[in-house]
Amino acid sequence: MYPETLKLVTDVVETFKIAKVFSENSDRINSIDFSLDGKTLISSSDDDSIVIYDCEKGVPKRTLHSKKYGADLIRFAHNEDSAVHSSTKIDDTIRYLSLHDNKYIRYFTGHVKKVASLSMSPVDDSLLSASLDKTVRLWDLKSPNCQGLIATTGKPVACFDPEGLSFAIADNLEGIKLYDIRSFDKGPFSTFFTPKDKKDSDWMSIKYSPNGKTLLLCSSGSDIHLLDAYQGTLIQTFSERSNSKGIPLEVSFSPDSQFIFTGSTEGTIYVWNADSGMRTAILQTGRTSPIHCVQFNPKYMLLVSTTSKMAFWLPVYNEL
């Protein structure tokens, strides 16, 4: 599709434009996830639907529905045939779904308040969930039983590192704690004190960079903090984006860990250079709807963003 020499550099990032918009949903798309090979994208929405997209052909493949339970925090398991998601109705159970026949394989019960984050291990069937009930739970997709529970003081979010050897938990009262997956019951092996957002907001997400060297900590306010993943030292704080509504706005890395992307409540996408902290681009959608999710495809030169619609962004490489 693109010249083999095309690399994700500043001059390329600046040229990204919306190539396709999909109107499969009638309400906010609340989460998205790419398959590991980058060929497939899955989304969940407040309209209780799960939509699967073919990234190579740039078309929707299939729409599933979770009318009874709702769907949020959709995540692929280790193939394109199954996914896990949290619930928005009835209870706070996490559900393991076969996408092939649209049937639930397993239910993970235990959380008694909204699940705030879900993270799949990159190496095995481990699943990490953090909830507003102030607990973080570790699961194995092969078993309905919780494999481990960590109580927190504040509202936690959590994620695995890129190698699946450890995980990070952040809450608004205790900072960031790092745990070894093999001995998490012994407590954290490292604790970082985190900066406070200007509005003293809750943390909405934590993510490792793909190279594992840094952590992105995102609040419900405007601030996004980039931290050293080993020492916990603050590297950069990005405060330019607008989040006047105090809503979850995803922040994510490019596959090479070089760029940071996030949406805003004003309908624009902000891009920064992770090393220099300099703003690389502001990508315009032409609309003012809040952009909730932004992710870069792990294998292809494709950026996606969501409102109640799904947008595929491509570089205008013939202008380079």
Side-chain angles (χ1 to χ4, degrees):
M1 182 184 295
Y2 302 107
E4 291 184 3
T5 56
L6 188 63
K7 303 296 183 183
L8 191 63
V9 295
T10 297
D11 289 345
V12 172
V13 171
E14 291 174 340
T15 73
F16 269 78
K17 300 283 193 299
I18 295 177
K20 285 189 175 183
V21 176
F22 305 98
S23 302
E24 308 300 301
N25 299 100
S26 60
D27 207 339
R28 178 182 72 110
I29 298 171
N30 52 45
S31 66
I32 57 177
D33 192 40
F34 283 105
S35 59
L36 293 176
D37 61 10
K39 294 181 179 180
T40 309
L41 173 70
I42 195 168
S43 69
S44 58
S45 169
D46 290 349
D47 64 11
D48 306 329
S49 67
I50 295 169
V51 183
I52 304 167
Y53 296 85
D54 185 316
C55 294
E56 291 183 310
K57 296 179 179 178
V59 296
K61 290 173 62 175
R62 192 179 179 199
T63 298
L64 310 175
H65 297 282
S66 180
K67 294 293 185 183
K68 183 176 181 180
Y69 306 113
D72 195 1
L73 300 175
I74 192 81
R75 302 288 183 265
F76 275 115
H78 287 290
N79 54 60
E80 298 179 17
D81 297 325
S82 59
V84 294
H85 68 81
S86 62
S87 308
T88 60
K89 300 178 180 179
I90 298 181
D91 57 25
D92 299 288
T93 296
I94 299 164
R95 292 176 163 83
Y96 182 22
L97 175 66
S98 168
L99 302 174
H100 175 69
D101 52 14
N102 195 22
K103 293 182 179 179
Y104 287 110
I105 302 169
R106 195 159 288 116
Y107 301 91
F108 304 103
T109 60
H111 287 304
V112 294
K113 289 187 178 180
K114 177 181 172 62
V115 176
S117 68
L118 279 181
S119 179
M120 277 296 308
S121 167
V123 296
D124 58 27
D125 286 330
S126 297
L127 174 68
L128 194 64
S129 62
S131 166
L132 298 184
D133 65 13
K134 299 182 180 180
T135 66
V136 175
R137 290 175 180 263
L138 185 65
W139 312 88
D140 186 320
L141 293 185
K142 297 184 291 293
S143 169
N145 301 317
C146 179
Q147 305 296 303
L149 185 148
I150 298 172
T152 63
T153 303
K155 300 173 183 177
V157 288
C159 67
F160 279 105
D161 83 321
E163 296 181 342
L165 299 176
S166 62
F167 58 86
I169 297 175
D171 75 46
N172 57 334
L173 297 178
E174 294 186 329
I176 297 175
K177 295 183 177 182
L178 305 183
Y179 294 81
D180 188 313
I181 188 71
R182 298 158 296 186
S183 56
F184 65 88
D185 54 325
K186 297 180 180 178
F189 64 81
S190 187
T191 299
F192 308 150
F193 294 101
T194 55
K196 287 291 184 181
D197 183 73
K198 294 174 183 176
K199 298 180 181 178
D200 200 25
S201 304
D202 292 333
W203 300 125
M204 304 305 291
S205 69
I206 185 170
K207 287 185 179 180
Y208 274 94
S209 59
N211 62 16
K213 295 181 179 180
T214 57
L215 281 163
L216 267 179
L217 189 61
C218 182
S219 78
S220 57
S222 61
D223 286 355
I224 301 164
H225 303 292
L226 184 68
L227 306 172
D228 182 283
Y230 306 109
Q231 305 298 325
T233 51
L234 179 65
I235 301 172
Q236 307 284 354
T237 294
F238 309 99
S239 303
E240 294 177 82
R241 71 165 185 182
S242 169
N243 188 6
S244 58
K245 301 178 185 298
I247 58 177
L249 298 175
E250 184 175 30
V251 57
S252 57
F253 286 97
S254 57
D256 60 5
S257 305
Q258 182 183 184
F259 297 102
I260 293 168
F261 300 83
T262 186
S264 68
T265 51
E266 64 195 20
T268 55
I269 295 174
Y270 286 81
V271 189
W272 295 283
N273 183 291
D275 291 329
S276 69
M278 298 295 294
R279 189 181 70 206
T280 300
I282 298 180
L283 305 178
Q284 303 290 340
T285 63
R287 299 180 180 273
T288 57
S289 302
I291 298 176
H292 300 280
C293 305
V294 179
Q295 284 187 32
F296 207 99
N297 190 294
K299 300 295 183 181
Y300 297 95
M301 192 69 77
L302 170 67
L303 178 70
V304 301
S305 68
T306 74
T307 54
S308 60
K309 302 179 186 297
M310 174 71 70
F312 279 21
W313 299 68
L314 298 174
V316 187
Y317 65 89
N318 59 344
E319 294 183 359
L320 300 179

